[in-house]
């Protein structure tokens, strides 16, 4: 499907790629207005990409040809869009704020969603108020979320992002099975004032359960049999949570139509709700729902998720750019690149289509990034003068939370805008006022002018919003979720499964009993045998 349109896009790009971004702005006085989209106080500027009216129309034709609208509508209606697992993908229902029913098959899920949200709110407020207290009646000062992947990245990212709104216990996150992470955290906590949330749908995830067992031993050593009073779980494995010792009234379940990386809106977001309160969490959901409604109703060319997805298709499949950099100019969004890395690469890192055929185009790009301005002093050299072009996605708030430090924010804003301009404009030799002559190692003269040249013509988008509030964060996350959906739908892949993570887990289970042994692994390849022997020797010596 859409084969002819792919060819037309490629041919058009070949004919027009010599036109620089600077030339496009010179020829098109209204380019910014024509190539930006506004949703309330949020603006997406994509004028600094090589799209023009013709290429945009071709991309919109591609979207229609590949059934974006019907696939989008099917997802919102609860169809089994996750075909390989026979499930709906209804994370949008978790943030549905209207009165209309949402169906998974023939079942309206909203009564369950609303009941769960109410239970979360009651539980969170009881922790925050001290009604749910430690074994000795004192209020909890610290809450630790133990999870991994979608059970960690979403709430950890959002909790950091919304730190100005924290008015509950301190919230911490443990995910890595490396004992260093949980050890360093526990060393700085008081077990008498600490509460744990174990976030694992199956309650079998090896990293999470290893960390949970360590936390339970630490707590038991401090307060004895009352240790389990300091635990709750977000899980559907009620027998396993009971075996762990967690009371049923402290277990909150969720449905199989919510994928892990899409789950921050529901019970997995309990730690975030404890940090900011149920009212602020509702505002977070409202922001996500606003983006949902925009995605569902806005015309394709005025639709933020659709156009952001089509820009990704243009850069990845037509221009041949293999990665994208997420560059939030907001320290509180420091975990956003990692969160979007999982959302994008676990969702669209596929080579097989839903019909079993091989994908004809490259799918999900490499996603990476760091907050500005730190990145400027790390990898921006590569972005500006490297031999590979990396489309950059800037995010920045017009207003900061630090009213007494406005000069900091002005510098941050200026830096963000300067980087996108520099990437677009570049600098040619004529722009350098005088040649830079230095003495070389043999006293000969070296002209450094060429080293000061920037090629420019490097694409970027900028997402600007008034302030990073719970509502704004909700809109940002939903925007990127739907962008991933748009790209996956165009490629014809299933963005909601993750079979690629299974093999490594299975092999780890077979290797675990062999760690520290010097024999018993003759069926392994010579590299794995050699590594196992080396580990045994180093542990022995």
């Amino acid at each position: 499907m859409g084969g002819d349109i792919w060819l037309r896009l490629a041919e058009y790009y070949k004919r027009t790629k010599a036109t620089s971004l600077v030339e496009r702005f010179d020829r098109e006085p209204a380019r910014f207005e024509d190539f930006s989209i506004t949703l309330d106080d949020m603006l997406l500027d994509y004028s600094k990409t090589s799209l023009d009216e013709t290429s945009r129309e071709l991309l919109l034709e591609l979207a229609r040809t590949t059934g974006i609208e019907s696939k989008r509508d099917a997802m919102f209606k609860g169809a089994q869009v996750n075909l390989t697992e026979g499930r709906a993908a209804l994370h949008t229902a978790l943030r549905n704020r209207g009165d209309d029913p949402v169906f998974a098959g023939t079942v309206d899920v909203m009564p369950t969603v609303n009941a769960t949200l109410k239970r979360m709110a009651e539980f969170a407020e009881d922790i925050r108020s001290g009604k749910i207290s430690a074994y000795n009646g004192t209020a909890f000062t610290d809450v630790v979320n133990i999870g991994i992947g979608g059970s960690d990245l979403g709430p950890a990212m959002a909790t950091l992002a919304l730190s100005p709104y924290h008015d509950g216990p301190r919230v911490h996150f443990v995910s890595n099975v490396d004992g260093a992470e949980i050890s360093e955290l526990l060393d700085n906590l008081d077990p008498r004032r600490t509460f744990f949330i174990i976030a694992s749908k199956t309650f079998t995830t090896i990293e999470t359960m290893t960390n949970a067992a360590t936390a339970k031993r630490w707590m038991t050593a401090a307060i004895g049999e009352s240790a389990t009073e300091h635990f709750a779980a977000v899980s559907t494995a009620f027998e396993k949570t009971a075996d762990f010792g967690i009371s049923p009234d402290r277990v909150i379940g969720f449905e199989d139509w919510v994928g892990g990386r899409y789950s921050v809106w529901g019970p997995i977001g309990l730690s975030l709700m404890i940090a900011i309160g149920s009212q602020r969490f509702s505002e977070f959901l409202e922001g996500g729902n606003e983006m949902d409604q925009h995605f569902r109703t806005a015309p394709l060319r005025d639709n933020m998720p659709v156009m952001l997805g089509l820009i990704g298709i243009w850069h990845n499949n037509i221009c041949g750019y293999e990665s994208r950099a997420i560059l939030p100019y907001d320290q509180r969004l420091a975990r956003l690149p990692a969160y979007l890395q999982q959302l994008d690469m676990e969702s669209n890192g596929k080579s097989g289509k839903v019909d079993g055929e091989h994908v004809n185009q490259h799918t999900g790009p490499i996603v990476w990034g760091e907050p500005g301005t730190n990145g400027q002093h790390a990898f921006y050299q590569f972005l500006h003068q490297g031999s590979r072009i990396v489309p950059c996605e800037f995010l920045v708030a017009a207003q900061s939370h630090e009213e007494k430090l406005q000069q900091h924010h002005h510098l941050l804003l200026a830096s963000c805008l300067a980087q996108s301009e520099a990437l677009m404009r570049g600098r040619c030799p004529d722009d350098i006022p005088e040649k830079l002559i230095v003495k070389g190692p043999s006293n000969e003269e070296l002209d450094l002018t060429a080293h000061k040249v920037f090629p420019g013509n490097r694409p970027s988008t900028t997402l600007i919003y008034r302030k990073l509030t719970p509502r704004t964060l909700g809109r940002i996350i939903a925007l990127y979720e739907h962008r991933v959906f748009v790209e996956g739908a165009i490629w014809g892949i299933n963005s909601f499964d993750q079979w690629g993570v299974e093999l490594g887990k299975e092999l780890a289970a077979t290797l675990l009993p062999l760690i520290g042994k010097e024999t018993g692994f003759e069926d392994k390849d010579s590299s794995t045998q050699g590594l196992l022997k080396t580990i045994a020797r180093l542990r022995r010596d």
Side-chain angles (χ1 to χ4, degrees):
M1 181 179 288
D4 176 62
I5 186 65
W6 284 110
L7 181 61
R8 288 157 57 200
L9 276 162
E11 290 176 345
Y12 185 75
Y13 172 66
K14 288 179 182 178
R15 293 200 305 270
T16 60
K17 66 179 181 179
T19 304
S20 71
L21 293 173
V22 171
E23 290 177 272
R24 294 183 190 280
F25 276 95
D26 288 342
R27 295 177 184 177
E28 305 167 42
R31 183 168 175 81
F32 171 75
E33 290 77 10
D34 292 342
F35 292 87
S36 60
I37 301 173
T38 299
L39 175 60
D40 193 17
D41 68 316
M42 182 177 284
L43 180 139
L44 173 65
D45 169 29
Y46 62 99
S47 60
K48 292 191 182 78
T49 70
S50 59
L51 289 183
D52 60 18
E53 188 62 39
T54 300
S55 54
R56 178 167 61 185
E57 286 304 315
L58 286 170
L59 287 167
L60 290 168
E61 183 181 340
L62 174 66
R64 296 186 186 99
T65 301
T66 50
I68 284 295
E69 291 158 303
S70 60
K71 292 176 180 178
R72 172 199 63 195
D73 294 345
M75 178 183 70
F76 277 98
K77 289 178 180 177
Q80 288 189 359
V81 293
N82 182 352
L83 294 176
T84 61
E85 296 179 307
R87 298 172 183 168
L90 277 176
H91 46 284
T92 54
L94 299 177
R95 54 189 187 241
N96 177 34
R97 312 307 287 164
D99 297 324
D100 294 336
V102 177
F103 290 96
T106 60
V107 178
D108 179 9
V109 305
M110 288 313 302
T112 299
V113 168
N114 290 328
T116 300
L117 182 60
K118 180 181 179 182
R119 188 175 173 213
M120 285 174 60
E122 291 172 350
F123 188 88
E125 294 305 327
D126 285 350
I127 289 284
R128 287 160 54 84
S129 68
K131 183 176 180 180
I132 293 179
S133 61
Y135 78 105
N136 58 4
T138 58
F140 291 112
T141 57
D142 295 270
V143 173
V144 181
N145 184 94
I146 298 180
I148 198 166
S151 298
D152 168 78
L153 276 169
M157 178 276 293
T159 300
L160 174 60
L162 299 180
S163 58
Y165 300 93
H166 290 195
D167 56 3
R170 294 182 293 267
V171 176
H172 315 272
F173 294 87
V174 171
S175 59
N176 202 326
V177 76
D178 185 340
E181 184 174 38
I182 193 167
S183 176
E184 291 188 0
L185 175 62
L186 297 183
D187 283 347
N188 291 285
L189 296 179
D190 179 355
R192 297 166 298 178
R193 308 293 297 275
T194 302
F195 191 80
F196 291 91
I197 300 171
I198 313 302
S200 173
K201 180 183 287 187
T202 63
F203 230 61
T204 58
T205 308
I206 186 65
E207 298 93 340
T208 298
M209 298 319 299
T210 299
N211 281 323
T214 296
K216 186 177 180 181
R217 288 194 301 270
W218 176 76
M219 188 64 73
T220 301
I223 65 174
E225 295 181 359
S226 300
T228 54
E229 296 178 20
H230 288 228
F231 284 83
V234 176
S235 177
T236 57
F238 300 108
E239 289 186 5
K240 290 184 173 63
T241 58
D243 291 342
F244 191 87
I246 299 175
S247 173
D249 63 353
R250 294 191 177 183
V251 181
I252 302 178
F254 52 99
E255 304 296 333
D256 63 4
W257 37 255
V258 180
R261 56 192 175 277
Y262 297 92
S263 61
V264 67
W265 314 98
I268 289 296
L270 179 61
S271 52
L272 171 63
M273 185 184 281
I274 290 172
I276 65 175
S278 58
Q279 179 56 45
R280 295 293 192 187
F281 192 85
S282 292
E283 295 170 12
F284 170 67
L285 298 182
E286 288 165 6
N289 183 247
E290 288 170 10
M291 186 59 70
D292 291 344
Q293 300 312 311
H294 170 75
F295 181 46
R296 296 183 75 174
T297 61
L300 295 187
R301 67 176 290 152
D302 300 318
N303 193 305
M304 268 193 199
V306 170
M307 286 311 306
L308 193 58
L310 292 177
I311 292 164
I313 294 289
W314 174 256
H315 287 154
N316 184 4
N317 299 125
I318 307 304
C319 303
Y321 306 145
E322 296 179 342
S323 74
R324 63 174 61 127
I326 307 296
L327 307 172
Y329 272 66
D330 190 322
Q331 185 59 33
R332 293 189 176 97
L333 288 178
R335 295 293 290 160
L336 183 67
Y339 173 77
L340 295 181
Q341 185 179 71
Q342 186 208 15
L343 176 65
D344 202 318
M345 297 179 74
E346 191 166 83
S347 296
N348 287 345
K350 317 280 173 65
S351 57
K353 298 168 70 175
V354 292
D355 60 8
E357 297 295 320
H358 197 276
V359 181
N360 294 325
Q361 295 85 19
H362 285 303
T363 57
I366 301 164
V367 178
W368 57 283
E370 281 287 328
T373 57
N374 292 29
Q376 294 177 200
H377 297 268
F379 53 80
Y380 276 42
Q381 166 66 44
F382 173 86
L383 296 179
H384 285 288
Q385 290 185 311
S387 59
R388 294 182 179 88
I389 294 179
V390 179
C392 296
E393 301 185 4
F394 297 96
L395 300 92
V396 69
Q399 297 179 13
S400 74
H401 289 278
E402 286 68 42
E403 295 182 1
K404 296 181 180 180
L405 298 174
Q406 288 305 300
Q407 183 58 32
H408 285 253
H409 197 64
H410 292 171
L411 178 57
L412 187 76
L413 285 163
S415 297
C416 180
L417 300 185
Q419 292 301 323
S420 68
E421 183 182 5
L423 286 165
M424 179 269 290
R425 186 173 298 283
R427 184 167 61 187
C428 66
D430 292 342
D431 293 331
I432 300 173
E434 59 184 32
K435 289 189 175 182
L436 304 173
I437 307 297
V438 299
K439 295 293 185 179
S442 302
N443 208 35
E444 72 277 14
E445 290 187 343
L446 297 176
D447 185 355
L448 298 185
T449 304
H451 297 277
K452 294 285 186 176
V453 170
F454 290 67
N457 204 36
R458 303 200 166 199
S460 68
T461 62
T462 302
L463 186 69
I464 292 184
Y465 38 89
R466 180 176 291 111
K467 197 172 188 177
L468 188 59
T469 64
R471 177 169 166 260
T472 298
L473 181 65
R475 286 184 291 166
I476 291 172
I477 297 173
L479 167 63
Y480 276 94
E481 285 181 351
H482 294 320
R483 186 258 194 96
V484 166
F485 174 83
V486 167
E487 292 182 341
I490 288 175
W491 292 317
I493 63 178
N494 179 5
S495 298
F496 301 108
D497 63 10
Q498 58 277 337
W499 298 106
V501 305
E502 298 299 321
L503 180 58
K505 293 180 181 179
E506 295 169 8
L507 292 176
T510 66
L511 285 166
L512 183 59
L514 303 177
I515 299 298
K517 304 287 181 63
E518 299 191 33
T519 60
F521 37 76
E522 291 74 17
D523 59 329
K524 297 293 184 181
D525 61 88
S526 61
S527 171
T528 303
Q529 289 188 45
L531 294 171
L532 285 166
K533 290 177 181 178
T534 300
I535 289 170
R537 175 176 57 79
L538 293 175
R539 289 170 64 88
R540 184 183 65 245
D541 297 342

